Amino acid sequence: CKGFNGYDKVLLRNPRGSSAEVYLYGGHVTSWKNERREELLFLSSKATLKPPKAIRGGIPICFPQFGSHGTIDQHGFARNRFWIIDNDPHPFPTNTSNKAFVDLIFKPSEADMKIWPHNFEFRLRVALGPGGELMLTSRIRNTNPEGKPFSFTFAYHTYFSVSDISEVRVEGLETLDYLDNLQKKELFTEQGDALTFESEVDKIYLSTPTKIAILDHEKKRTFELRKDGLPDAVVWNPWEKKAKAMADFGDDEYKHMLCVEAAAVEMPITLKPGEEWKGRLELSTVPSSYCSGQ
Ligand code: TA6
């Protein structure tokens, strides 16, 4: 259905009839609700759904670049473009019997190719599983006719909704090396126990495990993030000062969000013509008995 400003708005409902649901604008998931219709993703009250400005929240997809360098927009242009429903999803397997899903495709315009001179097909499948789990699969194929390979970096820039950032823990990134965007991007090593949050954080963890857990004390809920083809993980909260400096971010909203992003940043992915890369993200929630301060 036509959503805001021309973005196609798509609603996925759980095939088993539960009230779990997912909303997308173009290739951007903006809402993921569980069977109790609780919103699990953060979307700023000041988010604009107006291309080409990126939507502040949900799951923006960073491609062909994570971060800001060179002439490409910060986090690439895929998140700011129109996607179309792909009725010919040949590359995706058909085992979707118990899932609600939509297939979208994005190809670069002439203007895009002036920014990044490559031909590609970016197919995205967004699926809602029978248990309310949210799955995103990206397939990016190099369709350069004249034999040119290309390299890119990528992230599912996921904004999780949390009750209180000061009572959130992240498990799975302990003892790993990370690049710190707040300290001139040197390489550091994380300490030995779960991450907790008292101030701005902007770290790119390298060679991370397939599964990362985000524990919300107040809700007694754990988000489980599983990823494939995405070795790194970015953890970001702007905290008060940076949040106040963003027009599309409410002053106190930093207290109720945390970005944990399945990513490929340290080692760009290179595709020869005809080659295809697949990056998969699966999000689910489980009850957790974590008590803060443990
Ligand atoms: O993922 C962390 C980060 O790279 C931060 O440095 C911050 O810039 C954030 O992304 C948001 O970027 P955006 O371009 O969406 O405002």
Side-chain angles (χ1 to χ4, degrees):
C1 56
K2 274 288 169 227
F4 288 70
N5 306 301
Y7 272 116
D8 274 339
K9 180 176 178 179
V10 174
L11 168 62
L12 294 179
R13 275 242 163 80
N14 187 307
R16 292 261 174 90
S18 97
S19 38
E21 61 184 29
V22 171
Y23 270 102
L24 294 93
Y25 282 97
H28 190 135
V29 172
T30 54
S31 172
W32 168 41
K33 287 184 180 157
N34 64 13
E35 68 288 352
R36 290 187 299 284
R37 305 194 57 96
E38 291 172 305
E39 179 56 68
L40 301 170
L41 296 178
F42 167 84
L43 184 69
S44 173
S45 58
K46 298 191 171 178
T48 60
L49 301 179
K50 195 177 290 179
K53 173 82 183 130
I55 300 170
R56 178 68 61 197
I59 308 180
I61 291 181
C62 306
F63 174 82
Q65 168 185 289
F66 176 84
S68 56
H69 31 265
T71 57
I72 306 178
D73 308 343
Q74 154 111 323
H75 292 335
F77 47 77
R79 65 178 181 167
N80 301 330
R81 295 292 187 273
F82 290 116
W83 293 59
I84 53 175
I85 306 280
D86 179 15
N87 296 315
D88 172 23
H90 61 282
F92 286 104
T94 52
N95 60 339
T96 53
S97 52
N98 59 353
K99 297 187 186 78
F101 69 95
V102 63
D103 292 324
L104 299 150
I105 187 164
F106 166 59
K107 296 179 195 172
S109 64
E110 290 298 315
D112 293 335
M113 291 174 67
K114 287 196 172 63
I115 300 171
W116 196 61
H118 297 293
N119 267 297
F120 61 85
E121 288 177 357
F122 186 154
R123 286 182 168 81
L124 172 67
R125 168 165 289 181
V126 180
L128 182 61
E133 60 277 9
L134 172 58
M135 290 154 280
L136 282 78
T137 306
S138 292
R139 289 175 177 274
I140 296 168
R141 178 181 295 280
N142 179 339
T143 53
N144 274 333
E146 69 287 353
K148 228 180 359 172
F150 62 60
S151 298
F152 63 92
T153 52
F154 183 99
Y156 289 112
H157 196 296
T158 309
Y159 287 74
F160 291 97
S161 173
V162 298
S163 317
D164 176 351
I165 185 63
S166 65
E167 296 202 317
V168 166
R169 283 152 54 103
V170 172
E171 294 176 351
L173 301 175
E174 299 84 345
T175 74
L176 296 181
D177 287 346
Y178 63 89
L179 299 166
D180 191 338
N181 275 338
L182 304 180
Q183 302 185 63
K184 296 182 295 306
K185 300 192 189 355
E186 287 173 50
L187 193 63
F188 296 85
T189 301
E190 191 54 76
Q191 29 85 4
D193 46 43
L195 306 189
T196 53
F197 304 91
E198 301 86 28
S199 61
E200 181 185 358
V201 61
D202 191 349
K203 298 179 177 178
I204 303 170
Y205 290 87
L206 309 178
S207 308
T208 60
T210 303
K211 181 182 159 192
I212 299 171
I214 299 119
L215 289 76
D216 181 332
H217 165 61
E218 196 174 308
K219 284 272 190 337
K220 300 238 177 311
R221 167 165 62 209
T222 296
F223 290 101
E224 292 188 340
L225 179 160
R226 288 179 175 79
K227 54 192 177 65
D228 183 46
L230 294 155
D232 307 323
V234 184
V235 177
W236 177 61
N237 185 299
W239 222 256
E240 184 169 11
K241 186 159 169 267
K242 287 264 176 77
K244 283 200 162 82
M246 289 186 273
D248 62 349
F249 206 115
D251 289 355
D252 277 353
E253 288 183 332
Y254 73 94
K255 295 176 182 169
H256 307 296
M257 57 70 67
L258 179 67
C259 282
V260 180
E261 307 159 30
V265 179
E266 185 194 26
M267 313 289 284
I269 295 152
T270 299
L271 294 177
K272 297 192 194 80
E275 280 188 333
E276 177 179 81
W277 169 81
K278 177 177 152 188
R280 207 168 170 283
L281 171 68
E282 178 170 328
L283 303 178
S284 54
T285 61
V286 292
S288 65
S289 54
Y290 139 62
C291 306
S292 69
Q294 260 179 344

